[in-house]
Amino acid sequence: MLEIRNLHVKIADEDKVILNGLNLKVAKGEVAAIMGPNGSGKSTLSYVIAGKPDYEVTDGEVLLDGVNILEMAPDERAAAGLFLAFQYPMEIPGVATMTFLKAAMNAQRKQRGEAELTTPDFIKRVNKAADLLGIPKDMLRRPLNVGFSGGEKKRMEILQMTLLEPKMSIMDETDSGLDIDALKIVAEGVNARRDPEHAFLVITHYQRLLDYIKPDTVHVMSRGQIVKTGGAELALELEANGYRDYQSAA
Amino acid sequence: MPAVQETIDQVKAIDVSEYKYGFITDVEMEKPAKGLTEDTVRYISARKNEPAWMLEWRLDAFRRWKTMTEPSWARVHYPEIDFQDIYYYAAPKMNGAPKSLDEVDPAILDAYKKLGIPLREQEILAGVEPQNRVAVDAVFDSVSVVTTFRAELAKAGVIFCSISDALQEHPELVRKYIGTVVPVTDNYYATLNSAVFTDGSFVYIPKGVRCPMELSTYFRINEKNTGQFERTLIIAEEGSYVSYLEGCTAPQRDENQLHAAVVELITMDDAEIKYSTVQNWYPGDANGKGGIYNFVTKRGDCRGKNSKISWTQVETGSAITWKYPSCILRGDGSRGEFYSIAVSNGMQQVDSGTKMIHLGKNTTSRIISKGISAGRSQNTYRGLVSAHRKATNARNFTNCDSLLIGNQCGAHTVPYIESKTSTATFEHEATTSKISEDQLFYCMQRGLSAEDATALIVNGFVKDVLQQLPMEFAVEAQKLISISLEGSVG
Ligand SMILES: Nc1ncnc2c1ncn2[C@@H]1O[C@H](COP(=O)(O)OP(=O)(O)OP(=O)(O)O)[C@@H](O)[C@H]1O
Ligand SMILES: [Mg+2]
């Protein structure tokens, strides 16, 4: 589903290199986890996959279903089925969450040449997903993420992920800031969509999340590279020993 | 990356190509020589066959104007205007005033058609519910070419005509009220307007009458190097109501053009005037070449008890806007409202706001201003709320929000508050926010294009004010705002 080959990335307008020949494959139906020390480039990787303008790709490719997406605009990538749950979701003042959700869903449908959702259909979908995630209705009337608590923002990301039905979801530290109940709800949200057609790339610092979302693969990232790949047991080993064995590997 | 780069390039290339009303209409015009002297004033007055007192009034204004200097306190910059290099009167050649639309030059009718303003009553009647009808006064450069539905309005006792016609048909009414809200000496441009005003609308709503339809005036500047000096006067007698809308456009030209209007509103006891403006004068090109200088004095006088004046404006055009629609809350219990959306892009400069002058007891006012700056534009809100010694229990609520798009524009808020009574309650809220790259990226990650994301955020920002516009214009205004901001993302 997602294949990254020899990716080199630097900050646009600066010489600072962040990703340094990174290789990564996430197959259809796979749940892959990335763990790694602060500043190793995990968020940068997710941003570059999604097309954030602050970064410059100096070499390498990012393929989604075999298509290089690096030349595509962020909204085109989204319509192609890519979703990023942000580590720090943005506040959008003045725009009711409902309005935003509808605009986003219809924009993607339009890009894919599908008909717009009718209002009743839209409301039905939102209510169902919000109920599952324990998001109260009045929150949907508030401007998106404005004044939401850290955990509420994260839930809102998962609500959007659920509604937009992406093929490839990247979750950047979605578990940070979530209480135990919310963590379980989020994990259920992912597990419910776990099937041969969907893939997930879960960035996290904590084994705890991986207790609920059992990863097929765990990658260790350090200094802009994937330095080790293993199964679920690798996360447990990291939990015990930290990153010291990998710090100098890159 | 590529898409955002593309939008950045669009900002750099932002051009008047987005201005949809820039066409020029070819009609034979009658104009005296350029320049301003007493003779110019006499010419205009004679051309309109005005009563002698009107000419005297104009000449008096002209003499005062010569002793005045242009104000410089606004946050706007422009080269000195050469008042001798302007035509002060330009009218389509006709044999006397047109008696019906058939006598109006078809090119002019065509121009209004292109602007989406139907002037033939039959066309307006077709398919429009009576309550949704709009009567139009169409002012083309210096003259009103037609006013629709006059006869139907007259049945309700409503007078709606050009100010030139009013001077012929109801001179006593004009004489009684003109200059009583904006005195001849008020300010440089108002005094200039008093000397050389050419046309505009006149509205009189008799006692107890609720005007049966929306009234509107559509101003079009067409002729090159010509100033437009419009004068509008609206009087709402006791217990009456009227909703009035003005729209403005001009061709795309390299030279700056001056539009210096005066609008006076008067409400008697329990009367209400709702005045809405959708201003879309040509804004100039990417480098600030050309565009209209919109120097306007608009003021309402709530003369009667419990009367109400509300100004709603959507300002998207003009190279420079200098405009402060104000309310004098003279009658006890009267109310003033100001709702404004001011959009600036490219090199536009906006200095706009309002004055709420509380004179009577228990007077209230409300100001909601939304400024949106993009490109390299500068957008200033300037407002004054004052309470006189006798204005006990005066209340004002002000909310001024600014939204910035990009890094090269500016937003400024200059609120003045003066209170001479301890019983007044004035509240003021102000916010400045910015549409950041990060917000745009976030929206785009969810599938919205940069333009759609901007439009969504801007719509959220202005919706409180858009709701104040008459329904049929709100949609129009919303479109206009997105068009004005096209290519502003980056
Ligand atoms: N726009 C930027 N400008 C300058 N430096 C940046 C920028 N974005 C990222 N960096 C730097 O790149 C490095 C990688 O950052 P990134 O956010 O990708 O790390 P991370 O692995 O997600 O860390 P964490 O676990 O703390 O979230 C850091 O040193 C960070 O300071
Ligand atoms: Mg991170």
Side-chain angles (χ1 to χ4, degrees), chain B residues 59 73 105 123 166 213-214 247 283 311 332 355 360 439 446-447:
Chain B
L59 288 171
W73 44 264
D105 189 324
E123 286 169 19
M213 62 181 99
E214 197 79 41
W311 298 100
D332 290 347
K355 287 192 256 183
Q439 279 173 324
R446 300 299 134 96

Side-chain angles (χ1 to χ4, degrees), chain A residues 11 16 18 37-44 54-55 87 173 205:
Chain A
I11 306 287
K16 186 167 178 174
I18 304 180
N38 295 132
S40 54
K42 303 181 296 298
S43 294
T44 303
D54 314 10
Y55 303 96
Q87 183 174 1
E173 294 198 30
H205 286 297

